[in-house]
DNA sequence: GTCATTTAATTCAACCACTGAACAAATTGC
DNA sequence: GCAATTTGTTCAGTGGTTGAATTAAATGAC
């Protein structure tokens, strides 16, 4: 007769109290999500049938959304037969938008994504940022952001929030604890960007989110990739190796936001020493440095994306050293991914970042290891495919996550808009 | 200008439509959860302050819960000062309860857990089930379940649902695809148990859930363990090695419910061949068979829990072979867990099942590998501790998950009770 | 060309559950 | 014994959903 739980703060579904107004607030989100997820502009009647709400309620909710300029009416082409024609509903292309930013080793990027998920503005500024101080780098980034904001305003968009992708570990509050390849340590990004107003304040959407690059790239893939893939592992191969883990349609960030350090999963426990202090980490076998060295390009010191392009070129030309290097990297990746799939029961692995252009050569050895080692591979195969957005998807993923938050919680935007 | 999402069925927060009655339904759950989570019987006024609801609403909600016999009034001892004394609210000890069942290699188990999380009945029936057919094993289990049900009725409890723990892969619908150590393959458990009515049907609580043993053991740990641990990895060392993954207070089951096969994560990719077809799986280095062989006890063919007890005994006595075997197993576990922690950013690892009694000897080598290999170990250490429930926690965890579902969704029980 | 048919969307009274304030209940302390 | 204090209930008011009736806008048969 032992008590099994006494004072557990288990938040298995972290639903807070439901107030009077929460009802409308929640239904706004339900309806808006359906509109966002539909493959053609749905009518009010269809929304009512889908959600289980009455047509009266849906009409009222849609009126709110129309008034707040989050959705617009569109023609509803496919006429089925008799009856009054439906008015299709689409996400507005002139309402709130998200600002996506990225600081990486050899480029800065800024982009604007609207509610419908369309990339309306995208600039990449190439520059070696390793010798630049964090403050200067962020000042340059703020200039890009200002341009992006001007572009958004020109198109009638309001920037509702920003997400900044950084190749490193980020604490709550946007503190970059460590970004080894950038040479950053304990950089307080929000403080350094405080002088520049990047976006308009909107209730429920944080003004600036700083997040690991691999995580945001995975979110980009979630939004851009084929529908139906709610859980997957997204690998970003740059100088380090990052993994973005998407489970049931949501990014898994870990207890402190430091998930995804797949580059330091041991592949050969007694193998090559790693700068992390461990031995035999994946990074030492499938990281860019290791692949370049094996391909005979050590010390070339190419920018990250150029390196991947060069490797693809050589592999395409049939260079045996490059082919062998990629095969070995693919095997190491496959061994690690097989373990991850055994643990997490995923059915999709996406090759992003620098791996995207090399997918053709990495995929076969990866699949060989996976099918040989994954317990359930016999029942249902694991898909390995290149990222839909390719490299540099982190900024777009970040911008998409901003507008996604508005779709998930439109009440904040509506109260703001009056 | 590419569209970033078109027809994505992203269910980042899977909230369905909110109907009129959902409001009360949700608030019933909110209030009941607070009562369950409180460390002393809360008053209506405290609940109102905690949840943000008005006292009037809380009173109405509590009336419903009292009427449905889900909570009861208790004396509220700590008088603070002036004012009308509060009436404390506790979970009822005579309402619904969960039935937990387990079929394992060398025992059957059944237990009853009430709403408050107290284990009210628990029987373990030892028997070697490997030579027994699935149908016969389940018939024997049904007899145990009938006893448990009678015991529940005697104590005024109503069994609202059952969970069955099985050492194998389970598909949706309760089909056991493969339980290697039991010798089961494609066993349709619900069909075989259809003849026996195990529980009373309650809206919103499935009559029988079949689930992997390691997953339910992890749920047991979630409920019994120290509060504040919402995410952890729970290792179950039996003949195979299973892992239950709890993220943010919820069991992570994987896309098909087959998560947690940590035993087949590669430790030495070119190492010992494994019966899964791969090479160098963790199971071959830290599984019971491997440890017994290394300790010089190969072929002893002991029941799983006896084997662990015997190893603990020998280690306690200072037997060098056993000590060395456990150190090696701990190292292999540490290497694997380090990888998992790097990937998932967990801060707690629980040693359950057969590992629980061996934790004293497994922990040091595990910690050595973890601190040496986990990137963020320097910032925040990883805790490795034995399971609070010890071995055989799967049945209790299953029963607890049943009552947990009632706490999370009390409306189903209330409509049933009239 | 007219009218029945069909489907979409709106209107409106009813109702449910929460809100806020006033009120009753039960205890402490002066 | 009475003011102070805190708990819990009562009750009119309100926001938002419900369901049926109504209006709107098309198709198709005669």
């Amino acid at each position: 007769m032992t008590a099994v739980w006494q004072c557990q703060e288990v938040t298995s579904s972290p639903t807070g109290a439901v107030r009077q107004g929460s009802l409308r607030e929640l239904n706004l989100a339900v309806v808006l999500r359906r509109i966002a997820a539909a493959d053609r502009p749905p009518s009010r009647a269809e929304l009512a049938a889908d959600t289980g709400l009455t047509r009266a309620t849906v009409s009222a909710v849609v009126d709110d959304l129309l008034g707040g300029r989050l959705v617009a009416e569109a023609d509803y082409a496919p006429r089925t037969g008799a009856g009054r024609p439906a008015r299709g509903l689409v996400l507005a292309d002139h309402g709130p938008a998200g600002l996506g930013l990225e600081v990486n080793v050899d480029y800065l990027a800024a982009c604007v994504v609207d509610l419908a998920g369309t990339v309306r503005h995208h600039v990449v500024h190439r520059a070696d940022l390793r010798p630049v101080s964090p403050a200067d780098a962020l000042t340059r980034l703020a200039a890009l952001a200002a341009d992006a904001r001007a572009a958004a305003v020109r198109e009638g968009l309001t920037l509702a929030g920003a997400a900044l992708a950084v190749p490193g570990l980020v604490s709550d509050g946007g503190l970059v604890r460590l970004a080894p390849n950038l040479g950053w340590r304990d950089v307080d990004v929000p403080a350094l960007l405080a002088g520049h107003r990047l976006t308009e304040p909107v209730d429920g959407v944080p003004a600036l989110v700083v997040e690991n690059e691999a995580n945001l790239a995975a979110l980009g893939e979630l939004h851009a990739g084929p529908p139906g893939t709610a859980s997957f592992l997204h690998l970003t191969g740059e100088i380090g190796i990052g993994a973005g883990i998407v489970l049931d349609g949501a990014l898994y960030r870990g207890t402190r936001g430091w998930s995804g350090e797949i580059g330091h999963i041991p592949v050969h426990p007694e193998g090559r020493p790693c700068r992390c202090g461990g031995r035999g980490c994946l990074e030492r076998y499938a990281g860019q440095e290791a692949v370049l060295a094996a391909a005979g390009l050590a010390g070339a010191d190419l920018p990250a994306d150029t390196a991947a392009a060069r490797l693809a070129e050589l592999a395409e030309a049939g260079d045996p050293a490059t082919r062998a290097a990629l095969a070995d990297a693919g095997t190491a990746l496959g061994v690690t991914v097989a373990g991850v799939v055994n643990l997490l029961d995923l059915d999709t692995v996406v090759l992003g970042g620098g791996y995207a252009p090399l997918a053709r050569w990495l995929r076969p050895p990866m699949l060989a290891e996976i099918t040989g080692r994954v317990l359930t591979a016999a029942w249902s195969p694991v898909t390995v495919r290149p990222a839909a957005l390719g490299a540099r998807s982190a900024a777009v993923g970040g911008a998409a996550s901003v507008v996604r938050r508005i779709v998930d919680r439109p009440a904040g935007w509506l109260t703001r808009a009056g």
Side-chain angles (χ1 to χ4, degrees), chain A residues 230-250:
Chain A
S231 302
F232 59 88
L233 184 73
H234 183 272
L235 298 174
T236 312
E238 303 292 344
I239 293 177
I241 306 178
I245 306 167
V246 175
L247 305 178
D248 300 328

PDB file of all heavy atoms in Angstrom, chain A residues 230-250:
ATOM      1  N   ALA A 230       5.108  14.180 -39.697  1.00  0.00           N
ATOM      2  CA  ALA A 230       4.990  14.948 -38.454  1.00  0.00           C
ATOM      3  C   ALA A 230       6.184  14.713 -37.543  1.00  0.00           C
ATOM      4  O   ALA A 230       6.431  15.493 -36.640  1.00  0.00           O
ATOM      5  CB  ALA A 230       3.699  14.595 -37.729  1.00  0.00           C
ATOM      6  N   SER A 231       6.920  13.627 -37.770  1.00  0.00           N
ATOM      7  CA  SER A 231       8.073  13.318 -36.934  1.00  0.00           C
ATOM      8  C   SER A 231       9.252  12.965 -37.830  1.00  0.00           C
ATOM      9  O   SER A 231       9.115  12.125 -38.717  1.00  0.00           O
ATOM     10  CB  SER A 231       7.777  12.138 -36.010  1.00  0.00           C
ATOM     11  OG  SER A 231       6.655  12.400 -35.197  1.00  0.00           O
ATOM     12  N   PHE A 232      10.351  13.602 -37.604  1.00  0.00           N
ATOM     13  CA  PHE A 232      11.542  13.253 -38.380  1.00  0.00           C
ATOM     14  C   PHE A 232      12.793  13.792 -37.711  1.00  0.00           C
ATOM     15  O   PHE A 232      12.724  14.594 -36.775  1.00  0.00           O
ATOM     16  CB  PHE A 232      11.447  13.784 -39.822  1.00  0.00           C
ATOM     17  CG  PHE A 232      11.278  15.273 -39.913  1.00  0.00           C
ATOM     18  CD1 PHE A 232      12.384  16.107 -39.933  1.00  0.00           C
ATOM     19  CD2 PHE A 232      10.015  15.837 -39.985  1.00  0.00           C
ATOM     20  CE1 PHE A 232      12.236  17.486 -40.013  1.00  0.00           C
ATOM     21  CE2 PHE A 232       9.857  17.222 -40.068  1.00  0.00           C
ATOM     22  CZ  PHE A 232      10.966  18.035 -40.090  1.00  0.00           C
ATOM     23  N   LEU A 233      13.916  13.309 -38.205  1.00  0.00           N
ATOM     24  CA  LEU A 233      15.218  13.777 -37.749  1.00  0.00           C
ATOM     25  C   LEU A 233      15.833  14.566 -38.894  1.00  0.00           C
ATOM     26  O   LEU A 233      15.921  14.072 -40.016  1.00  0.00           O
ATOM     27  CB  LEU A 233      16.094  12.577 -37.396  1.00  0.00           C
ATOM     28  CG  LEU A 233      17.468  12.873 -36.813  1.00  0.00           C
ATOM     29  CD1 LEU A 233      17.322  13.361 -35.384  1.00  0.00           C
ATOM     30  CD2 LEU A 233      18.331  11.614 -36.854  1.00  0.00           C
ATOM     31  N   HIS A 234      16.233  15.787 -38.619  1.00  0.00           N
ATOM     32  CA  HIS A 234      16.800  16.642 -39.656  1.00  0.00           C
ATOM     33  C   HIS A 234      18.270  16.872 -39.345  1.00  0.00           C
ATOM     34  O   HIS A 234      18.607  17.447 -38.307  1.00  0.00           O
ATOM     35  CB  HIS A 234      16.052  17.975 -39.672  1.00  0.00           C
ATOM     36  CG  HIS A 234      16.509  18.914 -40.745  1.00  0.00           C
ATOM     37  ND1 HIS A 234      17.541  19.796 -40.572  1.00  0.00           N
ATOM     38  CD2 HIS A 234      16.078  19.101 -42.004  1.00  0.00           C
ATOM     39  CE1 HIS A 234      17.721  20.498 -41.687  1.00  0.00           C
ATOM     40  NE2 HIS A 234      16.837  20.093 -42.574  1.00  0.00           N
ATOM     41  N   LEU A 235      19.141  16.414 -40.236  1.00  0.00           N
ATOM     42  CA  LEU A 235      20.575  16.524 -40.007  1.00  0.00           C
ATOM     43  C   LEU A 235      21.134  17.727 -40.743  1.00  0.00           C
ATOM     44  O   LEU A 235      20.864  17.927 -41.921  1.00  0.00           O
ATOM     45  CB  LEU A 235      21.282  15.262 -40.509  1.00  0.00           C
ATOM     46  CG  LEU A 235      20.883  13.968 -39.807  1.00  0.00           C
ATOM     47  CD1 LEU A 235      21.546  12.775 -40.495  1.00  0.00           C
ATOM     48  CD2 LEU A 235      21.265  14.031 -38.353  1.00  0.00           C
ATOM     49  N   THR A 236      21.894  18.531 -40.035  1.00  0.00           N
ATOM     50  CA  THR A 236      22.537  19.690 -40.628  1.00  0.00           C
ATOM     51  C   THR A 236      24.031  19.484 -40.574  1.00  0.00           C
ATOM     52  O   THR A 236      24.614  19.504 -39.493  1.00  0.00           O
ATOM     53  CB  THR A 236      22.183  20.973 -39.840  1.00  0.00           C
ATOM     54  OG1 THR A 236      20.783  21.001 -39.621  1.00  0.00           O
ATOM     55  CG2 THR A 236      22.599  22.200 -40.607  1.00  0.00           C
ATOM     56  N   GLY A 237      24.638  19.253 -41.690  1.00  0.00           N
ATOM     57  CA  GLY A 237      26.078  19.022 -41.704  1.00  0.00           C
ATOM     58  C   GLY A 237      26.811  20.285 -42.088  1.00  0.00           C
ATOM     59  O   GLY A 237      26.842  20.667 -43.248  1.00  0.00           O
ATOM     60  N   GLU A 238      27.359  20.939 -41.098  1.00  0.00           N
ATOM     61  CA  GLU A 238      28.255  22.060 -41.415  1.00  0.00           C
ATOM     62  C   GLU A 238      29.596  21.668 -40.810  1.00  0.00           C
ATOM     63  O   GLU A 238      29.982  20.518 -40.916  1.00  0.00           O
ATOM     64  CB  GLU A 238      27.719  23.356 -40.802  1.00  0.00           C
ATOM     65  CG  GLU A 238      26.323  23.702 -41.237  1.00  0.00           C
ATOM     66  CD  GLU A 238      26.249  24.088 -42.722  1.00  0.00           C
ATOM     67  OE1 GLU A 238      27.293  24.376 -43.328  1.00  0.00           O
ATOM     68  OE2 GLU A 238      25.135  24.085 -43.274  1.00  0.00           O
ATOM     69  N   ILE A 239      30.251  22.595 -40.173  1.00  0.00           N
ATOM     70  CA  ILE A 239      31.522  22.223 -39.553  1.00  0.00           C
ATOM     71  C   ILE A 239      31.259  21.260 -38.405  1.00  0.00           C
ATOM     72  O   ILE A 239      31.900  20.231 -38.268  1.00  0.00           O
ATOM     73  CB  ILE A 239      32.265  23.499 -39.092  1.00  0.00           C
ATOM     74  CG1 ILE A 239      32.662  24.266 -40.352  1.00  0.00           C
ATOM     75  CG2 ILE A 239      33.492  23.139 -38.274  1.00  0.00           C
ATOM     76  CD1 ILE A 239      33.326  25.576 -40.101  1.00  0.00           C
ATOM     77  N   GLY A 240      30.253  21.561 -37.593  1.00  0.00           N
ATOM     78  CA  GLY A 240      29.747  20.572 -36.654  1.00  0.00           C
ATOM     79  C   GLY A 240      28.598  19.834 -37.309  1.00  0.00           C
ATOM     80  O   GLY A 240      28.253  20.088 -38.458  1.00  0.00           O
ATOM     81  N   ILE A 241      27.996  18.912 -36.562  1.00  0.00           N
ATOM     82  CA  ILE A 241      26.808  18.233 -37.079  1.00  0.00           C
ATOM     83  C   ILE A 241      25.687  18.489 -36.087  1.00  0.00           C
ATOM     84  O   ILE A 241      25.831  18.203 -34.900  1.00  0.00           O
ATOM     85  CB  ILE A 241      27.026  16.713 -37.221  1.00  0.00           C
ATOM     86  CG1 ILE A 241      28.261  16.434 -38.061  1.00  0.00           C
ATOM     87  CG2 ILE A 241      25.804  16.053 -37.829  1.00  0.00           C
ATOM     88  CD1 ILE A 241      28.579  14.958 -38.212  1.00  0.00           C
ATOM     89  N   GLY A 242      24.595  19.041 -36.573  1.00  0.00           N
ATOM     90  CA  GLY A 242      23.463  19.297 -35.701  1.00  0.00           C
ATOM     91  C   GLY A 242      22.269  18.480 -36.138  1.00  0.00           C
ATOM     92  O   GLY A 242      22.163  18.085 -37.298  1.00  0.00           O
ATOM     93  N   ALA A 243      21.381  18.212 -35.196  1.00  0.00           N
ATOM     94  CA  ALA A 243      20.158  17.504 -35.529  1.00  0.00           C
ATOM     95  C   ALA A 243      18.989  18.279 -34.968  1.00  0.00           C
ATOM     96  O   ALA A 243      19.005  18.703 -33.815  1.00  0.00           O
ATOM     97  CB  ALA A 243      20.170  16.095 -34.957  1.00  0.00           C
ATOM     98  N   GLY A 244      17.986  18.498 -35.792  1.00  0.00           N
ATOM     99  CA  GLY A 244      16.725  19.044 -35.311  1.00  0.00           C
ATOM    100  C   GLY A 244      15.745  17.898 -35.213  1.00  0.00           C
ATOM    101  O   GLY A 244      15.603  17.104 -36.135  1.00  0.00           O
ATOM    102  N   ILE A 245      15.102  17.779 -34.062  1.00  0.00           N
ATOM    103  CA  ILE A 245      14.208  16.659 -33.823  1.00  0.00           C
ATOM    104  C   ILE A 245      12.780  17.167 -33.810  1.00  0.00           C
ATOM    105  O   ILE A 245      12.415  17.988 -32.967  1.00  0.00           O
ATOM    106  CB  ILE A 245      14.527  15.989 -32.474  1.00  0.00           C
ATOM    107  CG1 ILE A 245      16.007  15.619 -32.418  1.00  0.00           C
ATOM    108  CG2 ILE A 245      13.659  14.778 -32.245  1.00  0.00           C
ATOM    109  CD1 ILE A 245      16.473  15.236 -31.028  1.00  0.00           C
ATOM    110  N   VAL A 246      11.986  16.717 -34.739  1.00  0.00           N
ATOM    111  CA  VAL A 246      10.576  17.117 -34.784  1.00  0.00           C
ATOM    112  C   VAL A 246       9.732  15.902 -34.424  1.00  0.00           C
ATOM    113  O   VAL A 246       9.824  14.861 -35.071  1.00  0.00           O
ATOM    114  CB  VAL A 246      10.190  17.654 -36.173  1.00  0.00           C
ATOM    115  CG1 VAL A 246       8.698  17.938 -36.235  1.00  0.00           C
ATOM    116  CG2 VAL A 246      10.975  18.916 -36.483  1.00  0.00           C
ATOM    117  N   LEU A 247       8.962  16.023 -33.363  1.00  0.00           N
ATOM    118  CA  LEU A 247       8.113  14.935 -32.894  1.00  0.00           C
ATOM    119  C   LEU A 247       6.660  15.400 -32.919  1.00  0.00           C
ATOM    120  O   LEU A 247       6.339  16.425 -32.335  1.00  0.00           O
ATOM    121  CB  LEU A 247       8.493  14.532 -31.459  1.00  0.00           C
ATOM    122  CG  LEU A 247       9.960  14.157 -31.212  1.00  0.00           C
ATOM    123  CD1 LEU A 247      10.183  13.837 -29.735  1.00  0.00           C
ATOM    124  CD2 LEU A 247      10.373  12.989 -32.082  1.00  0.00           C
ATOM    125  N   ASP A 248       5.827  14.675 -33.611  1.00  0.00           N
ATOM    126  CA  ASP A 248       4.396  14.997 -33.661  1.00  0.00           C
ATOM    127  C   ASP A 248       4.166  16.458 -34.046  1.00  0.00           C
ATOM    128  O   ASP A 248       3.347  17.150 -33.443  1.00  0.00           O
ATOM    129  CB  ASP A 248       3.730  14.711 -32.303  1.00  0.00           C
ATOM    130  CG  ASP A 248       3.860  13.254 -31.912  1.00  0.00           C
ATOM    131  OD1 ASP A 248       3.881  12.414 -32.820  1.00  0.00           O
ATOM    132  OD2 ASP A 248       3.964  12.961 -30.710  1.00  0.00           O
ATOM    133  N   GLY A 249       4.901  16.914 -35.029  1.00  0.00           N
ATOM    134  CA  GLY A 249       4.657  18.247 -35.560  1.00  0.00           C
ATOM    135  C   GLY A 249       5.218  19.385 -34.736  1.00  0.00           C
ATOM    136  O   GLY A 249       4.954  20.550 -35.030  1.00  0.00           O
ATOM    137  N   ALA A 250       5.979  19.061 -33.680  1.00  0.00           N
ATOM    138  CA  ALA A 250       6.549  20.129 -32.870  1.00  0.00           C
ATOM    139  C   ALA A 250       8.042  19.882 -32.679  1.00  0.00           C
ATOM    140  O   ALA A 250       8.489  18.742 -32.575  1.00  0.00           O
ATOM    141  CB  ALA A 250       5.848  20.198 -31.514  1.00  0.00           C
TER     142      ALA A 250
END
